[in-house]
Amino acid sequence: LNAGPHYLRAIELYVPDKSFEAAIRYSKKGPGSTLTAERRLALTEWLTKNGPAVVELRLGTAKPYCWFQYKVGPNSEWALINVLIPPINSLRKLGIVLCWEMQLAAEKADWNSITIDLQSLKTLARHLMGCPTLIEQIVGTGIDQWVSRQLIYLVQNYSPPSQSLDTLAEILD
């Protein structure tokens, strides 16, 4: 029932790409932006490389709960301050991978894939927002906001069928 091990595995499998990671810092250059042919090819290759990490992420989001094992750093007099948490920044980056996949799916009018990715991202955000440390909660909130902006962009720029809009609204509820 714990998503944590799947998320940790997804973190291990994540393949970084400096140009796309730089682009995700600015929403105008991240998902929701226009891609040149060369950039689209690079994006497709990056998404393919991260396929195994996305599979683990989706396995995690299928679980109802999420918790991680926390450790105290070595030689710490202030044990509560020196808690080592998993490197969840990679989960944020994997969320961005799914946002890009949502955009490519919208270009193909594949609203079923978009709803699956939206559900996964909302669940990931909810899992992290329920974790005990503030940084995990902040990352979860950031993922939630990012995917909401992405969904607004997709609905404004692509024409989802009414049935898909109903499904998207249910997920958001």
Side-chain angles (χ1 to χ4, degrees):
L1 299 176
N2 181 15
H6 293 288
Y7 292 160
L8 293 175
R9 181 76 176 129
I11 289 168
E12 290 173 11
L13 294 171
Y14 175 70
V15 178
D17 183 288
K18 292 184 189 220
S19 66
F20 283 105
E21 288 178 12
I24 64 177
R25 292 190 187 108
Y26 308 99
S27 61
K28 290 182 181 177
K29 294 181 182 177
S33 61
T34 306
L35 295 167
T36 64
E38 180 182 321
R39 194 89 167 127
R40 179 178 301 280
L41 179 62
L43 173 64
T44 303
E45 289 174 7
W46 183 51
L47 295 177
T48 301
K49 289 177 187 176
N50 279 296
V54 169
V55 168
E56 281 296 324
L57 183 75
R58 287 185 176 134
L59 288 172
T61 61
K63 304 289 184 173
Y65 305 105
C66 178
W67 65 89
F68 298 103
Q69 297 292 324
Y70 301 96
K71 298 176 185 173
V72 176
N75 303 321
S76 174
E77 292 179 25
W78 298 89
L80 292 176
I81 295 174
N82 198 16
V83 173
L84 303 175
I85 62 171
I88 57 169
N89 189 40
S90 293
L91 287 178
R92 180 184 63 82
K93 293 174 183 177
L94 276 167
I96 303 306
V97 168
L98 281 182
C99 282
W100 276 113
E101 287 190 359
M102 288 171 66
Q103 180 170 334
L104 296 180
E107 291 173 2
K108 297 175 186 171
D110 184 0
W111 289 92
N112 289 332
S113 293
I114 293 169
T115 56
I116 291 167
D117 290 341
L118 176 66
Q119 181 68 51
S120 293
L121 287 165
K122 287 294 189 175
T123 301
L124 172 63
R126 182 179 48 84
H127 280 163
L128 293 176
M129 287 189 280
C131 286
T133 67
L134 182 60
I135 190 65
E136 291 165 313
Q137 294 168 14
I138 291 170
V139 169
T141 302
I143 290 169
D144 190 59
Q145 290 177 352
W146 188 280
V147 71
S148 294
R149 283 194 310 263
Q150 176 69 349
L151 183 60
I152 290 168
Y153 171 82
L154 295 177
V155 170
Q156 287 176 340
N157 292 285
Y158 301 92
S159 298
S162 61
Q163 182 181 4
S164 293
L165 285 174
D166 292 341
T167 305
L168 295 172
E170 288 176 23
I171 293 169
L172 293 176
D173 281 346

